[in-house]
Amino acid sequence: MLKRESNDGQFTASKLLQSAYESSKHDLKVADFKITDLEELHYMQRRKRTEFENAIRRNRFNFGQWMRYAQFEIDQKDYARARSVFERAIEVDYKNVPLWIRYIQSEIKLKNINHARNLLERAIKLLPRIDKFWYLYVTIEESIGNVTAVSHIFDKWLNWKPNKDVWLHYLEFEERYEEYEEERLIFEKFVKEFNDSDSWLRWVQFEKTHGDEINVGNVFKLGVKSLHSVNRLDSQFLISWIRFQYSLKQADNVKQLYEFGYDALNREEANKLQKFETDFQKKYGLDSASLDQLVLLKRKVTYEEKLEQDKQDWSTWWLYLSLLIDTLKVPNDEVIEKFKVCMSTQPQSFKVSEWCGYWYICKRYLLFVEFEVGSVDDSRSIYSELIKTIPHKNMFLFDFWKNIAEFELRNGDLAHMRKVLGQGIGFTENEEIIKYYISIELRLKYFDRARKLYNKLIELFPDKYKNWIEYFDFEESLGNELRSFSILEVAVFENFLDNKAKLKLIRNTIDKVTENYNFRLARRLLDYKVTIGNVNAKIERSLLELKIPSEDQIREYGSNAEVEFTIDESVKNRVRKEYERFLSGLKENAHDRIVMLESLKRFEQEYGDEEKVKQVEARLPRIIRRVKDGEDCKEEIIEYIFPEDENEIQQQVEEFKNAFLQDEQEDEEEVDEGGRKDDVEDGDEDEDEEGGERDEEENQSRIERRETKERKSFRSRFESSSEDEA
């Protein structure tokens, strides 16, 4: 809101609002009217009645106005007119409960009890479902001591089938006035109307207080019979009866009640009864055997309650079944029923963790049926059902397929075992189950089947180098060297594996290849390893020659099988040749070259002589460190100068020098030959003076060029260029 500045004495919006707020704090004062004579009284009454009539005429459903009108007439002591106003209002809407209550209370205040009673009779006939009228009626009659009328009112009220509280109030009323026989009759009607354990227990409590033991027992018997007939019998009622029998020391009756309760009650109520029995026996004492049995039964009840809340609590299922089988020694039929209930509760997701718990329960079921019941056919049918139930295409349970295979092996059905494992491979395509299948065939000595399975394994998982190693070892163990070496060649030289896997494969098989004297394949494998590996592969390839005998030794071994392999000079030369072959390709890689030379040095130290060692040491580089200034820091540069590279550079310089001197000599010979030709041409052209002068100038220029060339030598040129470079 905009606020405008104003001079003193002028009104502003803020002043108006503040004045209105302050005036609202004061209560409105009603004008005082003082009536001095009868005429003024009649005038005031006519005026007020006119106002009420006009207000009612405008809105006849404003019952607050009707009640104010009636109260005005009461204040004027005109009771007939007040009743007239109430009656007119009831004609407008007889269902208005507050209007009836105000009318009745007005008559009571005026001590017109009969008028109030008549009004209540009218109200309960017109509106019998309104409990407030009945309660008001009962209260009035009881307050004036009319007990018989109260009972009559309650009887009339019960005909309208009120709620349970009305019955209880009636019973309390009769008990207040010690009308026990009447109360007993009311209880008979009460349990028929409300046939539940709470109603019967109220009757039992009444008989315990105002009756005798016979009446209490009869009520219990009637209550059990009635409640059991309508399936409303619960543990609470039986526990109350058992407590009563305990108080009478009727042990036989108590035992019969327990047996009846376990048979008649549902599982939940029977569990509650079981808990009560266990706690009661703990409290009041029993022999140890019976007490232990009760504790186990209570534990059984606890497990069943947990399983009711969560049917996929596999840990509780396991404990529950263990209790039934191992401790309580429940009959097999009952145990099988529990197992079936558990199997019917299947996980809804594809999480392996959830299905593992389910499978372990099923596994226990299968073992129970096979060994405890002794039914192999039932076990096989359960396995078949589980194959359909478990979602094998979405998850893999190796233990499931392993147990099927072991089951069929135990029972000697190899054909069915192979069929099941074939199904497992088709469903899952998992290498673990294939390897397990292979292990079974190897145990059974079916090598052809194992070979087919290895082919299937390689077909499905060609990128696993361990599968190739196992296949290689399998063929080698059977003595099929040609097949095993072919497998190795395919694995290494084809593109099934990456380079890292190929290196691992070669490292795990090279010793076996050399032990079988297949040196050609060993050389091929390590040569391939050199192409994909580092400098260590080159060293390994070079040292391989130490394991390969010379040709003379091989020939000698063919004639004499007892010849011992020795490392002779030819073998050493082969090793040195391999080192030199790899060193020649490492001119640009100083680090690998140093590693190779160090390895060669160790080789010469072990197999060579001092001279060879010194030759290798002479080939090692010398280290030159230089410092290079950078923008923010200094950088140290390390250079390796190999003597071989220096000698090679010097040799190249010599070759270049010899080639340059040879070119100089050829140029001089060409100059001499040109001079002789010029002299012959000059003798033939003496007659022409001008031509002679030109030839003479040309000869002079040739001589100057020759002298200039003679003054220059290769050394001077080479030294000047090297200085420029420096």
Side-chain angles (χ1 to χ4, degrees), residues 412-474:
D413 194 345
L414 296 181
H416 199 270
M417 182 270 293
R418 292 189 176 103
K419 179 181 178 182
V420 169
L421 289 179
Q423 281 182 319
I425 295 172
F427 281 139
T428 63
E429 294 187 353
N430 187 277
E431 67 174 312
E432 191 174 3
I433 190 172
I434 300 176
K435 289 182 179 179
Y436 177 72
Y437 194 0
I438 292 171
S439 66
I440 292 178
E441 296 294 354
L442 291 178
R443 279 190 291 166
L444 298 175
K445 308 301 180 184
Y446 287 99
F447 301 117
D448 290 336
R449 291 182 179 274
R451 183 176 289 112
K452 291 180 181 179
L453 290 171
Y454 270 119
N455 290 333
K456 185 67 175 178
L457 180 65
I458 295 299
E459 178 184 348
L460 293 177
F461 306 99
D463 56 339
K464 303 289 184 65
Y465 77 95
K466 290 184 178 180
N467 296 338
W468 292 95
I469 293 175
E470 291 178 6
Y471 197 6
F472 171 80
D473 292 339
F474 165 73

Side-chain angles (χ1 to χ4, degrees), residues 309-493:
Q309 297 174 0
D310 184 7
K311 294 184 179 180
Q312 296 186 5
D313 188 355
W314 311 119
S315 300
T316 304
W317 271 111
W318 186 273
L319 295 173
Y320 178 58
L321 294 169
S322 299
L323 181 65
L324 296 179
I325 298 170
D326 302 331
T327 308
L328 297 178
K329 306 297 182 182
V330 176
N332 292 340
D333 294 338
E334 184 177 348
V335 175
I336 290 174
E337 288 298 323
K338 298 298 182 182
F339 272 118
K340 289 181 179 179
V341 171
C342 180
M343 286 185 62
S344 63
T345 307
Q346 301 168 6
Q348 300 300 318
S349 65
F350 298 130
K351 293 182 179 179
V352 178
S353 58
E354 295 183 6
W355 280 96
C356 280
Y358 176 79
W359 157 241
Y360 287 137
I361 300 295
C362 296
K363 181 180 177 180
R364 185 167 187 175
Y365 180 29
L366 291 161
L367 295 176
F368 179 82
V369 172
E370 182 181 359
F371 295 106
E372 297 295 332
V373 181
S375 178
V376 177
D377 294 335
D378 291 342
S379 296
R380 185 173 286 113
S381 63
I382 295 171
Y383 273 120
S384 301
E385 183 180 351
L386 288 174
I387 290 175
K388 299 176 183 178
T389 301
I390 299 175
H392 299 288
K393 294 185 178 181
N394 302 103
M395 48 175 290
F396 176 67
L397 291 175
F398 171 71
D399 191 62
F400 171 76
W401 300 104
K402 181 180 177 182
N403 274 271
I404 296 180
E406 291 178 352
F407 167 76
E408 298 296 348
L409 282 175
R410 283 196 301 270
N411 295 282
D413 194 345
L414 296 181
H416 199 270
M417 182 270 293
R418 292 189 176 103
K419 179 181 178 182
V420 169
L421 289 179
Q423 281 182 319
I425 295 172
F427 281 139
T428 63
E429 294 187 353
N430 187 277
E431 67 174 312
E432 191 174 3
I433 190 172
I434 300 176
K435 289 182 179 179
Y436 177 72
Y437 194 0
I438 292 171
S439 66
I440 292 178
E441 296 294 354
L442 291 178
R443 279 190 291 166
L444 298 175
K445 308 301 180 184
Y446 287 99
F447 301 117
D448 290 336
R449 291 182 179 274
R451 183 176 289 112
K452 291 180 181 179
L453 290 171
Y454 270 119
N455 290 333
K456 185 67 175 178
L457 180 65
I458 295 299
E459 178 184 348
L460 293 177
F461 306 99
D463 56 339
K464 303 289 184 65
Y465 77 95
K466 290 184 178 180
N467 296 338
W468 292 95
I469 293 175
E470 291 178 6
Y471 197 6
F472 171 80
D473 292 339
F474 165 73
E475 296 294 351
E476 186 191 24
S477 65
L478 296 178
N480 295 331
E481 295 180 359
L482 180 60
R483 188 185 293 272
S484 63
F485 293 149
S486 299
I487 292 169
L488 188 58
E489 289 179 356
V490 171
V492 174
F493 301 116

